[in-house]
Amino acid sequence: MEIRPIRADEWLRWREARLRMLREEAAYFSTRYEDAVREPEGVWRARTAEAAEGTDKILFVADDDDRLLGVVGGFRRLDPLEVQLVSLWVDPKARGRGVARSLIRAVASWARERGARRIVLFVQEANAPGRALYARAGFRATGDREPVGAGRPGFKLVVAATVDELLEQP
């Protein structure tokens, strides 16, 4: 398995993985499948190309012989010392093998290269497996929470960790 930045020509692979995560695990993501599936091809191409540049945002993939085992995104926040981690997903068949931890570390390394010191993310309160994963990785609740949004019930928690903490984890 290789953890690497997505390439611009992989927009269709990103679309397939994103739609799968939103369809199969809708309760854990703020974006709705029904909205994402309607996005035109040009939007998917543009987002993937921008992430492939890796300047202000990034998408990493866990690639295993041309099969995506997982994905994660990151982007610079308004505070230049912070990066937000988004859309972490690992294929259920690949869970428990360290894929998520490797993807988190990739975002942390990318953040460090850009001078960021802190990684922030939102996790649904209902996502107990995700909350446990992030806690094991070194993220801690900030005490902030906000509605999931888009007419959906529930709240999402804000959790954060320092780049150093994430990169020091075994």
Side-chain angles (χ1 to χ4, degrees):
M1 176 190 70
E2 176 188 16
I3 305 292
R4 61 171 180 76
I6 200 162
R7 295 183 306 264
D9 65 352
E10 294 179 304
W11 69 271
L12 188 56
R13 292 180 81 196
W14 164 240
R15 182 183 189 275
E16 290 168 356
R18 179 75 170 148
L19 293 178
R20 181 177 173 203
M21 75 173 83
L22 295 175
R23 183 179 56 247
E24 294 178 6
E25 300 186 79
Y28 297 156
F29 295 96
S30 297
T31 302
R32 297 177 333 140
Y33 171 84
E34 295 80 11
D35 297 329
V37 75
R38 287 191 212 112
E39 294 284 359
E41 178 181 317
V43 170
W44 291 98
R45 285 180 180 273
R47 286 181 185 155
T48 307
E50 186 178 7
E53 288 175 12
T55 305
D56 292 321
K57 57 179 64 173
I58 190 79
L59 282 172
F60 286 100
V61 297
D63 195 348
D64 187 33
D65 292 326
D66 291 328
R67 184 170 154 250
L68 293 187
L69 298 181
V71 296
V72 69
F75 65 87
R76 290 176 159 185
R77 292 172 53 99
L78 291 177
D79 179 343
L81 298 179
E82 290 185 340
V83 161
Q84 186 165 330
L85 186 146
V86 294
S87 303
L88 175 64
W89 177 80
V90 174
D91 185 314
K93 294 176 185 170
R95 292 179 185 168
R97 297 178 17 198
V99 176
R101 181 70 59 97
S102 295
L103 289 165
I104 291 168
R105 290 175 66 90
V107 171
S109 292
W110 179 83
R112 177 180 273 167
E113 291 169 5
R114 277 141 192 83
R117 295 186 188 152
R118 186 173 185 234
I119 307 288
V120 177
L121 65 89
F122 293 91
V123 60
Q124 306 267 349
E125 281 183 331
N127 186 352
R131 288 190 356 246
L133 166 75
Y134 293 130
R136 286 191 308 272
F139 287 91
R140 301 291 172 254
T142 66
D144 294 329
R145 71 195 275 259
E146 59 184 63
V148 171
R152 298 175 69 182
F155 288 87
K156 51 189 175 183
L157 306 172
V158 181
V159 298
T162 68
V163 169
D164 290 341
E165 289 169 332
L166 295 174
L167 293 175
E168 291 169 2
Q169 291 279 336

